[in-house]
Amino acid sequence: MTTSLSLNAITDATAKAVADNPANAVVVFRASGTPEGAVGSAISAGSHTLRVDEPPALGGENTAANPVEHYLAALISCQVVTYRFWAERLGIQVDDLAISAEGDLDVRGFFGLDDTVRPGFQQVRVTVRVTGPESPERYEELQRAVDAHCPVLDISTGTIPVHTTLETA
C-alpha cells in the first residue's frame, strides 16, 4: 500500500508547527444536525452532509446507515488512517489492509425497557487483516502503536466529559 503523499512529512510539519506554537496542537471539529423523516437526521460536518436513518424495526426507512453504524464506520476509517500513518512512521511495509467491525447492542437500554442495560454497544469486535513482507511481530508492533494513537478508539475506550447545553425558545 503506497501513497503519493508522505505521511511522515505531515507528521514532521505538524511537530514543527506545534513546537513553534503549542496552540497549533488543538483542532476543533464541529458538526450539527436537524431531523429528517421519522427518525433520521441530516448532519453537517464541515462542507459535508451525512444522512442518518434507522431500519424499519426502529421506526426508520433505512435510507442511510444508523448512528451506531456511523460509529463503526468512524472507528474503521480512523483505524485505516492510523495504520497508514504508523506503518510509515515505523517503517513497516503494508501491502494490503482491510478492517471490519461489529458490535452488540441490546435495544432494551435505548428504549428504556431495562435501565440496567447500557444503551450503547456492549462489545465491539474489530478485525484487522494486514498483508506484507514483515514478521508477525512487526505487525503486532504496528497494532500496538495504532491502538495507542487512534483517536476514535480512544474516544471509545476512554472517558470524555460531554457537556450538553439545552437552549429553549
Side-chain angles (χ1 to χ4, degrees), residues 11-154:
T11 301
D12 293 345
T14 302
K16 181 182 179 333
V18 169
D20 292 345
N21 181 358
N24 289 334
V26 178
V27 180
V28 176
F29 291 94
R30 291 180 176 82
S32 60
T34 55
E36 192 172 80
V39 295
S41 53
I43 308 298
S44 295
S47 62
H48 307 283
T49 300
L50 296 87
R51 297 280 191 266
V52 180
D53 200 4
E54 293 284 357
L58 296 176
E61 298 173 22
N62 204 32
T63 61
N66 71 23
V68 295
E69 290 167 327
H70 276 280
Y71 159 77
L72 292 174
L75 177 59
I76 291 167
S77 62
C78 195
Q79 289 269 296
V80 166
V81 71
T82 306
Y83 265 92
R84 294 174 81 185
F85 265 96
W86 279 91
E88 185 170 317
R89 188 163 184 188
L90 296 172
I92 296 174
Q93 183 176 332
V94 173
D95 292 339
D96 195 31
L97 175 67
I99 302 175
S100 61
E102 62 181 12
D104 303 321
L105 192 139
D106 185 330
V107 297
R108 292 177 298 172
F110 172 73
F111 286 114
L113 303 175
D114 183 343
D115 287 337
T116 66
V117 174
R118 183 179 179 172
F121 282 128
Q122 281 72 48
Q123 182 182 127
V124 172
R125 291 170 298 283
V126 177
T127 302
V128 179
R129 289 174 200 82
V130 61
T131 61
E134 307 288 346
S135 69
E137 293 78 20
R138 287 288 280 159
Y139 290 122
E140 290 167 5
E141 175 187 1
L142 176 58
Q143 179 190 2
R144 286 190 302 274
V146 170
D147 287 351
H149 296 95
C150 177
V152 176
L153 182 61
D154 177 71

Side-chain angles (χ1 to χ4, degrees), residues 1-11 13 81 84-85 88:
M1 177 181 345
T2 60
T3 179
S4 61
L5 176 66
S6 169
L7 301 177
N8 279 334
I10 292 170
T11 301
V81 71
R84 294 174 81 185
F85 265 96
E88 185 170 317

